[in-house]
Amino acid sequence: MLNLPRWQTITIVTVTVLAALLALPNLLPDRVMNVLPGWYQQSRINLGLDLRGGAHFLLEADLRGVMNERLVNLSDSVRAEMRKQQVAFKSVDIDGGKAVVLVLRDEAQRAKALEGIRALDPTLTVAGTGDTIRVAYAEVDLTRKRKEVIDQSIEILRRRVDETGTIEPTIVRQGDDRILLQIPGIKDTTELKRKINQTAKLTFHLVDENVAATGQNLPTSLPPTTFLVPTREGMAALRAANPKAYDDIQAANPRLSPEQICRRYQPQCLPVLKRVVVGGEDLDDAKSTFENQSNGGRPIISFTFNAAGGRAFCAATRANIGKRLAIQLDSEIISAPVVQSAICGGSGIITGQFTTQQTQEQALLLRSGALPATLTIIEERTVGADLGADAIHSGTVAALVGTFFVIVFMLISYGPVFGGFASLAMLVNMLLVFAGMSVLGASLTLPGIAGLVLTVGMSVDSNVLIYERVREERANGRSAFSALAMGYEKALTAVIDSNLTALIAGVLLFGFGAGPIRGFATSLSLGLLTHLFTATIFTRMVLALWVRWRRPTELPL
Amino acid sequence: MLWRAHHLINKRTSFDFLAKRRLALVASTIINILSLVGVFTLGLNFGIDFEGGIAIQVRAKQGDIHLENLRTTTHGLGIGEVSLQEFGDNKSALIRVQRQEGNAQCVAHADQVMKKRAGNGWSVVPGAADTGDVTFTSPSALDSGGWRDAVSTVGLTLQDRQLPRGNVNSAKIEMSHEQRAEWCQQVAIKLVEDAIGGQYELRGTESVGPKIGEELMHSGVIAVLATLGAICIYVWVRFEWQFGVAALIALLHDVISTVGLFVVLHLDFSLTALAAVLTIAGYSINDTVVIFDRVRENMRRYRKMSLIELLNFSINETLARTLMTSGTVFVAVLALVLFGGPVLYSFSVAMLWGVIVGTYSSIWIASACLVYMKLRPEQFRAKAAEDEKEAKA
């Protein structure tokens, strides 16, 4: 064990120094940190919500409701299609939220009915015999739709939470139908909850081409039927150029009208007619797709209206070919495509010089009027900032005292030299854990601190195993040298075994646990892993260096 | 005191640990049975993580808290079982409210909160009994945006299609019973807030709906079983099957008696408590493995010793390190108990117990089980010799 290759020493020292550098930002006071470069400040460990204060929500999307609604629409379409195909039917019902059941008057018309259904949507699955036809969405389609609903909900939530000006919200999918929303530092959740459910307002307006033709961004006089609305690009440019103005707009209470925003902050604006052509409540769906290859195959946005919306849209487009139709979402115009032809039949497309990503975003925005599914809060935890500060305080005190206890215990039991080595290895281990958490971007929670304290206690265990073995070997009459070497070697399997078994518990806890408990599992598992390094390699290096330096004939153990 | 090493145990001991194995096994069995009986009769004090419900941390705005006053106030609210405990210092308390049913009483509470917060012109009444519907009536006509804001007063968050269209002064909100039950958690929080908000500051609230509680319970049980299984398999692979079974019995002993401790001390059994149970399992096996490791080593070395002698000898040999490793973790956990604060208290106490019971079970339960399992050293030696031969070849 005394032959320590130079490269190993170099590796160990490098790893330790690197870890120290990575862990350092967590220990330095803010005053010092502020003068250091930004990237270095980044390597601080995130504090969990229970420590920094904030709100944690688990939302469940009512997917069953969405699927039911879809079936209701499908049954409407089936009914309409059957009438169109002149297929006589007794009834069209929804069966157990899974399928639409069509019962024909005349079995002979089955083929015709099936053809009609296929024309409706070729991906539908069809079953049943005789006069009964069961129409259902294919499993693939349902899975896709479920995913879409959740993704869309997440996007809408993100948009709304961003509007409240909160920093670093976490919004992620959890399981099949859940969304986890974590917002640090928030005090009053009532406002947030209201915001979450607030619907973005979507309206279609005609652009007032007479005013627009003047080319002025902010015409001084407007006809009473026209008002100014900032464009999305305009607002994005304003945000980039003058973030403060943007924040002021978001924070303004009462909210500024689009026209006020235009006049006060002068982003790029469009004059549009106040009259609403169609409202977002009449929009059924919008998706990103591609136009026909013959037309160039460019990415486009296609949308569908319900019956009322379709009629209104048809009339408006027929009368305004060649003019622009502005699509306003809340107080921004997200796009203003030119009407190419009368759009009747309830669906239309928006073309333009779009990339696929843009069409996807726009489609999402169009759909983002309302949340696609009802979200129910099934878990809510809020922690006030001062409560978090208390937790940090007690956690820190416990960790420091625990470390102190352990060091004293080791010094008493193994003397200043070996007790000191063990304490050193333990401290290095803690540095590694901190560095590891910084690198992984893991959050430190209060149970996480408990995990750290346990790591402190457990990470001297391997030194204990080694030292006790050395004492035994010494008692068996070995020389100081060989007792050290043998003790180290023979204790190694026990060291690894005991770490691995504890690690099993840690990893499973991470897998099954939720919330702050994961923080505990993370810090404990990480501590055990890094401990494998300090226990086997680091301790060995320290012992070897010491032996080489002191050449002891007697061990102070 | 720190300038030289002190031996916890000065010379090699030769306690006859296994002579007391019957006593230990009987005592442990009784403790375990009592623990199980306690769990099924007295029941565990499940935290809201598993039961669902509400936990509110409050602090008196002035002076100390009066638990009695607080109790009288909260009990009179009619929101089911409410438990109170001092939390941390004598200014703070933890109020726990049982999981809310989505019944008509909850709607009456919503009515109460609505009247208090939005004015007496408001009313909230339940709809048909077979649905979870609720009807709100406002003093003046509101549009859908107004309705959305209004219902958020009682913690109800609605989606567009649930809102009324046009200017109306009455809105029937359609809900399933399940959705109403989840909403009722929010209503109860508001009710408590209204009742005690004058004197107390709400520092943190947690509400776990009925659904999530059941799921956490389910995954918790799976986590414990999976951990025990995985550790048992690990020991089995590393040693012999008898060792695996012995380790499993020792682990079960630790887990069950820890759960028993929660019953006796009436500690909160929450997610952190579950973490403690799993960590105890992972930790207790450490000592066991250390002893097993030595038993295996000695089996090869001392071929003439009887099994009991061999086990006793191995336990004595490793006694110093068993006690030392437990000692270091013990002092670290002690710091958590003393300074870790109220949130970690249950966890820390359980861990402290776990360290002691884990050490005990490694010596008495795990090793004693080996005796009863008729681990035959001869067979094991023969196999070990074969392994060695193979290794050499």
Side-chain angles (χ1 to χ4, degrees):
Chain A
M1 84 167 263
L2 298 179
N3 310 328
L4 198 66
R6 180 163 295 259
W7 66 268
Q8 265 193 17
T9 319
I10 294 173
T11 316
I12 296 164
V13 172
T14 319
V15 168
T16 311
V17 170
L18 258 178
L21 279 176
L22 277 170
L24 196 60
N26 298 298
L27 308 172
L28 292 175
D30 288 334
R31 192 162 38 83
V32 183
M33 279 309 291
N34 289 338
V35 295
L36 293 170
W39 59 267
Y40 193 58
Q41 292 178 24
Q42 294 286 311
S43 99
R44 267 194 180 181
I45 295 174
N46 300 320
L47 293 182
L49 285 182
D50 57 343
L51 294 181
R52 73 201 290 199
H56 157 117
F57 296 99
L58 194 59
L59 306 162
E60 187 171 73
D62 178 18
L63 290 178
R64 248 194 7 224
V66 175
M67 297 305 156
N68 251 328
E69 203 169 286
R70 240 181 134 209
L71 283 178
V72 172
N73 290 341
L74 180 64
S75 67
D76 285 348
S77 314
V78 168
R79 230 174 259 127
E81 186 65 27
M82 290 306 116
R83 291 206 182 97
K84 198 167 128 197
Q85 303 276 346
Q86 294 179 334
V87 175
F89 55 89
K90 279 187 200 142
S91 64
V92 176
D93 291 309
I94 293 166
D95 174 35
K98 288 213 167 68
V100 171
V101 179
L102 166 69
V103 183
L104 301 173
R105 282 200 188 283
D106 184 2
E107 230 183 284
Q109 284 193 305
R110 187 180 170 84
K112 203 169 168 191
L114 288 178
E115 200 178 310
I117 291 164
R118 208 163 297 131
L120 215 54
D121 182 351
T123 63
L124 292 170
T125 63
V126 181
T129 51
D131 58 353
T132 314
I133 301 177
R134 286 175 60 89
V135 188
Y137 286 105
E139 199 46 54
V140 193
D141 186 56
L142 288 176
T143 318
R144 186 187 55 83
K145 185 71 190 171
R146 279 190 209 108
K147 187 174 174 306
E148 212 174 274
V149 166
I150 299 293
D151 287 348
Q152 206 174 319
S153 304
I154 290 178
E155 240 1 272
I156 295 169
L157 279 179
R158 188 179 306 286
R159 201 177 130 81
R160 295 184 192 170
V161 171
D162 276 348
E163 271 174 20
T164 62
T166 34
I167 33 160
E168 309 171 50
T170 308
I171 307 172
V172 289
R173 160 203 290 268
Q174 204 157 65
D176 278 343
D177 54 357
R178 307 246 167 98
I179 299 170
L180 174 72
L181 175 63
Q182 289 190 320
I183 297 160
I186 190 167
K187 280 196 197 101
D188 185 12
T189 56
T190 322
E191 176 61 28
L192 177 83
K193 280 190 250 172
R194 185 154 49 201
K195 201 83 186 184
I196 288 176
N197 267 348
Q198 207 162 61
T199 312
K201 197 158 180 238
L202 179 77
T203 45
F204 288 76
H205 299 265
L206 284 165
V207 174
D208 188 338
E209 299 292 356
N210 295 334
V211 180
T214 63
Q216 289 168 280
N217 184 32
L218 296 167
T220 40
S221 72
L222 286 171
T225 50
T226 302
F227 67 163
L228 288 170
V229 182
T231 64
R232 194 172 171 71
E233 294 85 43
M235 289 304 282
L238 178 71
R239 187 179 197 170
N242 187 354
K244 174 140 189 334
Y246 187 85
D247 289 346
D248 287 347
I249 293 171
Q250 297 301 338
N253 193 15
R255 290 190 73 101
L256 299 173
S257 73
E259 178 125 16
Q260 280 171 321
I261 296 174
C262 281
R263 296 284 175 205
R264 210 171 288 178
Y265 298 97
Q266 308 185 351
Q268 190 201 27
C269 292
L270 265 182
V272 297
L273 294 177
K274 282 182 185 162
R275 198 177 73 84
V276 174
V277 173
V278 191
E281 63 274 13
D282 289 326
L283 187 79
D284 263 357
D285 196 15
K287 51 178 182 273
S288 160
T289 124
F290 297 92
E291 63 186 340
N292 283 335
Q293 277 307 328
S294 54
N295 293 337
R298 287 173 304 177
I300 53 170
I301 303 149
S302 79
F303 53 88
T304 39
F305 287 113
N306 62 16
R311 274 195 301 276
F313 200 66
C314 175
T317 47
R318 180 172 294 145
N320 293 290
I321 292 174
K323 293 185 184 164
R324 280 178 293 171
L325 190 63
I327 304 166
Q328 183 183 348
L329 188 71
D330 282 340
S331 53
E332 290 175 16
I333 288 174
I334 57 169
S335 113
V338 176
V339 179
Q340 306 285 1
S341 60
I343 302 169
C344 298
S347 64
I349 54 170
I350 303 172
T351 55
Q353 297 298 326
F354 297 128
T355 63
T356 320
Q357 199 194 342
Q358 278 168 330
T359 54
Q360 275 164 0
E361 276 172 17
Q362 299 257 338
L364 190 75
L365 283 174
L366 285 177
R367 287 190 308 240
S368 73
L371 283 165
T374 309
L375 297 179
T376 314
I377 299 175
I378 54 171
E379 189 187 321
E380 177 182 354
R381 295 170 198 261
T382 53
V383 175
D386 62 329
L387 193 60
D390 281 5
I392 293 180
H393 177 76
S394 52
T396 315
V397 172
L400 291 178
V401 173
T403 312
F404 175 75
F405 278 179
V406 169
I407 290 177
V408 169
F409 195 77
M410 288 311 278
L411 290 179
I412 291 177
S413 305
Y414 298 114
V417 178
F418 286 88
F421 289 163
S423 305
L424 182 68
M426 182 261 283
L427 292 175
V428 167
N429 190 36
M430 296 322 283
L431 279 186
L432 286 171
V433 175
F434 273 107
M437 289 186 76
S438 298
V439 170
L440 291 177
S443 298
L444 183 66
T445 60
L446 185 58
I449 294 181
L452 289 179
V453 177
L454 273 180
T455 308
V456 168
M458 289 186 182
S459 64
V460 288
D461 277 8
S462 50
N463 288 83
V464 171
L465 292 180
I466 295 168
Y467 293 167
E468 292 294 336
R469 190 73 199 216
V470 172
R471 280 181 177 175
E472 267 180 61
E473 297 297 330
R474 194 84 183 100
N476 287 344
R478 284 187 192 271
S479 74
F481 269 129
S482 99
L484 258 187
M486 286 307 288
Y488 177 82
E489 204 171 288
K490 287 193 170 171
L492 210 54
T493 56
V495 168
I496 292 173
D497 270 342
S498 63
N499 269 296
L500 285 181
T501 47
L503 201 56
I504 290 175
V507 169
L508 284 170
L509 195 54
F510 186 84
F512 289 102
I517 299 308
R518 288 206 154 183
F520 171 76
T522 310
S523 65
L524 186 70
S525 307
L526 204 58
L528 289 167
L529 272 178
T530 52
H531 180 220
L532 278 176
F533 166 82
T534 47
T536 53
I537 308 176
F538 182 82
T539 304
R540 182 181 145 177
M541 179 190 79
V542 173
L543 287 179
L545 290 178
W546 178 76
V547 167
R548 238 185 264 169
W549 174 46
R550 297 304 287 260
R551 307 252 155 223
T553 49
E554 196 41 63
L555 296 176
L557 189 67
Chain B
M1 189 171 150
L2 300 181
W3 57 92
R4 66 180 184 83
H6 298 256
H7 288 225
L8 194 66
I9 294 169
N10 261 326
K11 52 182 191 298
R12 174 157 301 166
T13 53
S14 52
F15 298 116
D16 187 2
F17 288 104
L18 291 177
K20 302 276 191 311
R21 64 180 186 274
R22 281 206 187 89
L23 179 68
L25 284 179
V26 169
S28 290
T29 312
I30 291 172
I31 288 175
N32 273 299
I33 290 173
L34 284 180
S35 297
L36 288 175
V37 169
V39 169
F40 289 111
T41 55
L42 300 171
L44 270 172
N45 180 19
F46 282 117
I48 63 163
D49 289 340
F50 296 122
E51 286 259 275
I54 301 159
I56 306 174
Q57 281 193 54
V58 296
R59 186 161 67 182
K61 284 181 176 164
Q62 275 176 340
D64 290 352
I65 44 157
H66 296 282
L67 277 187
E68 269 319 303
N69 286 353
L70 205 52
R71 189 166 286 130
T72 325
T73 318
T74 48
H75 276 233
L77 292 176
I79 42 175
E81 213 176 292
V82 180
S83 72
L84 291 171
Q85 67 187 84
E86 233 177 57
F87 208 60
D89 53 29
N90 48 16
K91 284 186 171 42
S92 308
L94 180 74
I95 303 176
R96 241 175 53 200
V97 183
Q98 77 163 68
R99 183 172 90 195
Q100 299 296 300
E101 308 290 337
N103 53 20
Q105 199 181 12
C106 148
V107 182
H109 290 147
D111 184 66
Q112 205 177 322
V113 172
M114 201 72 199
K115 283 196 164 78
K116 173 151 186 169
R117 297 195 173 194
N120 273 328
W122 280 89
S123 79
V124 187
V125 292
D130 59 334
T131 66
D133 297 354
V134 180
T135 304
F136 285 76
T137 314
S138 74
S140 57
L142 293 172
D143 64 359
S144 57
W147 277 107
R148 188 184 300 110
D149 286 0
V151 298
S152 76
T153 313
V154 280
L156 184 58
T157 49
L158 289 180
Q159 210 217 334
D160 262 20
R161 59 169 154 267
Q162 292 173 291
L163 290 167
R165 288 208 175 181
N167 273 344
V168 287
N169 56 6
S170 162
K172 187 176 140 203
I173 313 289
E174 286 178 14
M175 279 192 267
S176 66
H177 279 292
E178 272 178 26
Q179 283 169 330
R180 190 158 89 181
E182 301 284 357
W183 166 53
C184 285
Q185 310 283 328
Q186 304 291 327
V187 174
I189 294 178
K190 304 268 176 196
L191 198 67
V192 173
E193 208 175 304
D194 281 350
I196 65 168
Q199 299 122 52
Y200 297 93
E201 171 201 353
L202 273 65
R203 307 181 77 199
T205 55
E206 291 179 65
S207 105
V208 178
K211 200 167 178 181
I212 203 90
E214 271 164 38
E215 284 177 16
L216 287 177
M217 178 82 96
H218 182 72
S219 62
V221 170
I222 292 183
V224 171
L225 294 181
T227 307
L228 294 186
I231 291 176
C232 170
I233 289 172
Y234 181 87
V235 175
W236 175 27
V237 170
R238 288 283 282 117
F239 300 91
E240 287 287 290
W241 69 264
Q242 287 96 336
F243 288 91
V245 174
L248 183 66
I249 293 173
L251 282 181
L252 279 174
H253 165 266
D254 298 343
V255 168
I256 294 173
S257 62
T258 307
V259 173
L261 181 83
F262 275 91
V263 175
V264 171
L265 296 186
H266 210 63
L267 292 173
D268 242 17
F269 198 86
S270 61
L271 270 180
T272 27
L274 183 75
V277 169
L278 289 191
T279 316
I280 287 169
Y283 180 73
S284 146
I285 198 72
N286 278 6
D287 287 341
T288 312
V289 165
V290 167
I291 295 174
F292 282 1
D293 202 44
R294 186 57 68 95
V295 170
R296 182 169 54 179
E297 195 183 317
N298 285 341
M299 273 182 168
R300 289 176 195 154
R301 198 187 297 166
Y302 306 102
R303 304 196 166 221
K304 297 235 167 76
M305 256 188 220
S306 77
L307 180 62
I308 293 184
E309 269 180 294
L310 191 90
L311 289 172
N312 262 329
F313 184 71
S314 306
I315 297 172
N316 275 301
E317 265 191 326
T318 50
L319 188 62
R321 47 183 202 175
T322 303
L323 293 181
M324 275 303 295
T325 51
S326 302
T328 56
V329 177
F330 187 88
V331 293
V333 175
L334 191 64
L336 273 180
V337 174
L338 296 177
F339 305 101
V343 178
L344 289 179
Y345 188 73
S346 293
F347 171 86
S348 315
V349 170
M351 275 308 299
L352 205 61
W353 166 261
V355 173
I356 298 168
V357 85
T359 310
Y360 158 81
S361 77
S362 305
I363 295 176
W364 272 286
I365 310 291
S367 307
C369 282
L370 286 180
V371 178
Y372 293 107
M373 216 105 60
K374 308 240 183 321
L375 176 71
R376 279 183 304 187
E378 305 78 35
Q379 198 183 30
F380 188 69
R381 278 169 201 145
K383 191 172 174 296
E386 248 173 59
D387 285 350
E388 262 166 49
K389 238 185 245 167
E390 259 174 45
K392 272 177 196 162

